[in-house]
């Protein structure tokens, strides 16, 4: 039957109503489709934002004082509020560096508000402001934890400087360069002074050029993802002036007087007090708690054929399998095992086994 005849049999009001209903249904479908697309885009943006926040998430456990640890619930609260819950341990470590929990402005957050240092007198307010400022720096840094940490110390201008001079990435050298520049601009104010011999020698006295390293030292087993590759430039296992008491090579055995091979270098230190530190980034591959002449000892792998060995420790603060940062404390000086007094016996090995030693002196610039 022709459509014209069918339409002729249906009242005009009816088929016009049907046409209208079809149009309404079509428009409704289009609205729902557009809404679905918008939701999907919104999800993708949200997911992208989460990805940014999760870049270089710091793991590990903050090694902090009781004074800082008491604020953990507040850090968890404000970290959740500002979208940085993955960074609670880092925030606690950062606070340890800022104040050790001994100041009311525990996060030293006053300056982020443009106020003089320690203007904030309420720890809760300090944590609220400090966590928000860190979250803001982290977002501006594109998730680069080290860049965000240094910007917390230097101010947000450091992020812009990094984008202009280093593809938006953090480096210690860049921090020194920025500090030198700002110090030259502002030293006439008399507000800035060098806080370390390194900064004084470099005339990098704006802020703290060692801030990132200082904060990360408070994270036990914590590394910024992708940052456990060794630097190849070792620090010495004991900070400050070294008192070397025995060289690598043949010597008279202190116990029986016979000529014997001394497979490391000995450094004097204070029993149970002097921190012993990892010479470079690496992974702990062996922890011995007595039972041998080395006493309490630690071996750290830095490369396929390069290990550092620390012996006679009073205590060990790392576990086997744990990753450690360059300069991170791994234990305290001791006199365990075959030892005539408190000292560190330090070896460099080519394998994770006895008698693969080489002279450590060139590795630690002796």
């Amino acid at each position: 039957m022709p459509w014209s005849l069918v339409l002729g049999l249906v009242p005009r009001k009816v088929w016009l109503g049907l046409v209208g209903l079809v149009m309404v249904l079509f428009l409704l479908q289009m609205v729902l489709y557009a809404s679905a697309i918008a939701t999907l885009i919104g999800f993708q943006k949200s997911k992208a934002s989460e990805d940014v926040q999760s870049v270089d998430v710091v793991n590990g456990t903050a090694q902090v004082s009781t004074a800082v640890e008491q604020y953990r619930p507040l850090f968890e609260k404000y970290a959740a509020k500002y979208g940085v819950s993955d960074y609670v341990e880092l925030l606690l470590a950062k606070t340890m560096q800022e104040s050790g929990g001994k100041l009311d402005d525990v996060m030293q957050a006053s300056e982020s508000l443009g106020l003089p240092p320690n203007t904030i007198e309420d720890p809760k307010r300090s944590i609220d402001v400090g966590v928000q400022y860190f979250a803001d720096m982290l977002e501006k840094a594109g998730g680069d934890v080290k860049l965000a940490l240094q910007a917390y110390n230097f101010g947000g201008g450091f992020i812009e400087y990094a984008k202009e001079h280093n593809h938006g990435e953090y480096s210690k050298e860049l921090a020194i360069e920025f500090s030198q520049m700002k110090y030259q601009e502002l030293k006439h104010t008399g507000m800035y002074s060098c806080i370390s011999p390194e900064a004084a020698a470099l005339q990098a006295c704006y802020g703290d050029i060692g801030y990132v390293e200082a904060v990360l030292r408070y994270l036990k087993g914590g590394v910024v993802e992708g940052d456990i590759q060794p630097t190849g430039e070792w620090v010495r296992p004991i900070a400050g002036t070294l008192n070397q008491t025995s060289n690598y090579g043949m010597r008279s055995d202190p116990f029986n007087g016979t000529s014997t091979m001394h497979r490391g270098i000995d450094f004097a230190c204070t029993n149970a007090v002097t921190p012993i530190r990892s010479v470079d980034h690496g992974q702990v591959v062996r922890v011995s708690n007595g039972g041998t002449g080395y006493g309490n000892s630690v071996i750290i792998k830095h490369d396929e054929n390069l290990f550092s060995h620390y012996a006679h420790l009073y205590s060990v603060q790392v576990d086997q399998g744990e990753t450690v940062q360059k300069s991170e404390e791994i234990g305290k000086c001791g006199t365990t095992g075959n030892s005539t007094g408190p000292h560190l016996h330090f070896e460099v090995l080519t394998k994770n086994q006895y008698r693969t030693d080489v002279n450590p002196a060139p590795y630690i610039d002796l």
Side-chain angles (χ1 to χ4, degrees):
M1 181 180 295
W3 277 105
S4 59
L5 182 58
V6 172
L7 293 174
L9 295 174
V10 178
R12 179 179 178 83
K13 289 184 178 180
V14 174
W15 65 262
L16 286 175
L18 291 172
V19 170
L21 179 61
V22 170
M23 291 297 293
V24 168
L25 291 173
F26 175 77
L27 290 173
L28 181 60
Q29 183 179 16
M30 292 301 293
V31 169
L32 291 172
Y33 178 78
S35 177
I37 292 296
T39 300
L40 178 59
I41 292 173
F43 170 79
Q44 290 175 335
K45 287 182 178 178
S46 175
K47 183 65 167 66
S49 177
E50 290 174 4
D51 288 342
V52 168
Q53 292 296 316
S54 67
V55 173
D56 284 345
V57 172
V58 174
N59 55 32
T61 303
Q63 303 297 291
V64 299
S65 64
T66 303
V68 171
E69 181 64 29
Q70 68 174 321
Y71 296 120
R72 180 179 288 273
L74 286 175
F75 279 103
E76 292 173 345
K77 173 184 175 180
Y78 289 112
K81 178 179 178 180
Y82 297 115
V84 288
S85 291
D86 287 333
Y87 298 85
V88 169
E89 297 298 327
L90 177 65
L91 290 165
L92 287 164
K94 202 167 80 60
T95 302
M96 191 66 190
Q97 173 62 21
E98 290 287 353
S99 71
K102 298 176 181 179
L103 302 172
D104 289 335
D105 188 3
V106 289
M107 289 195 74
Q108 294 288 277
S110 297
E111 291 170 271
S112 69
L113 298 175
L115 301 172
N118 295 309
T119 301
I120 296 175
E121 297 181 346
D122 177 12
K124 181 178 179 181
R125 171 68 173 155
S126 177
I127 294 170
D128 186 354
V129 172
V131 173
Q132 183 178 19
Y133 187 62
F134 170 77
D136 184 39
M137 292 300 100
L138 186 65
E139 183 177 0
K140 289 179 179 178
D144 185 328
V145 172
K146 289 187 174 182
L147 184 60
L149 281 175
Q150 193 65 65
Y152 189 97
N153 179 256
F154 279 164
F158 181 63
I159 295 175
E160 298 306 315
Y161 188 82
K163 289 178 179 178
E164 183 177 351
H165 297 278
N166 199 41
H167 309 291
E169 297 179 358
Y170 167 85
S171 73
K172 176 72 174 291
E173 292 73 21
L174 191 73
I176 293 170
E177 184 181 299
F178 182 82
S179 178
Q180 290 170 330
M181 178 190 72
K182 296 296 290 184
Y183 182 58
Q184 289 303 313
E185 290 178 4
L186 300 168
K187 66 179 181 180
H188 69 278
T189 65
M191 297 173 58
Y192 300 92
S193 59
C194 295
I195 63 175
S196 70
E198 179 189 17
L202 295 168
Q203 285 295 286
C205 305
Y206 177 86
D208 181 2
I209 58 175
Y211 187 76
V212 171
E213 296 167 341
V215 170
L216 293 181
R217 284 184 195 133
Y218 288 109
L219 281 180
K220 181 179 180 181
V223 298
V224 179
E225 290 179 2
D227 195 39
I228 62 169
Q229 291 298 318
T231 65
E233 297 179 2
W234 286 14
V235 297
R236 291 171 178 177
I238 297 175
T241 303
L242 291 179
N243 181 9
Q244 185 174 332
T245 57
S246 186
N247 294 325
Y248 176 82
M250 299 301 295
R251 70 170 186 178
S252 175
D253 188 286
F255 291 98
N256 57 32
T258 61
S259 179
T260 187
M261 178 65 182
H262 186 236
R263 301 186 176 278
I265 295 178
D266 290 347
F267 301 103
C269 48
T270 304
N271 189 50
V273 173
T274 304
I276 306 302
R277 59 184 187 168
S278 174
V279 294
D280 203 351
H281 303 322
Q283 183 175 35
V284 178
V285 293
R286 184 185 300 177
V287 173
S288 298
N289 295 306
T292 72
Y294 286 115
N296 299 329
S297 65
V298 174
I299 296 180
I300 298 174
K301 180 179 180 180
H302 304 288
D303 214 333
E304 195 60 37
N305 298 302
L306 190 60
F307 302 76
S308 57
H309 185 194
Y310 314 78
H312 305 309
L313 302 180
Y314 172 82
S315 61
V316 174
Q317 297 173 206
V318 292
D319 298 315
Q320 185 167 322
E322 183 177 322
T323 52
V324 292
Q325 293 276 334
K326 180 178 180 177
S327 297
E328 180 179 338
E329 184 176 332
I330 61 172
K332 299 289 188 186
C333 167
T335 184
T336 56
N338 296 337
S339 171
T340 57
H343 72 284
L344 169 69
H345 175 81
F346 177 72
E347 295 183 355
V348 175
L349 308 174
T350 57
K351 294 181 181 179
N352 180 16
Q353 62 187 57
Y354 182 56
R355 294 197 176 190
T356 63
D357 50 89
V358 294
N359 187 358
Y363 290 89
I364 53 176
D365 195 27
L366 290 178

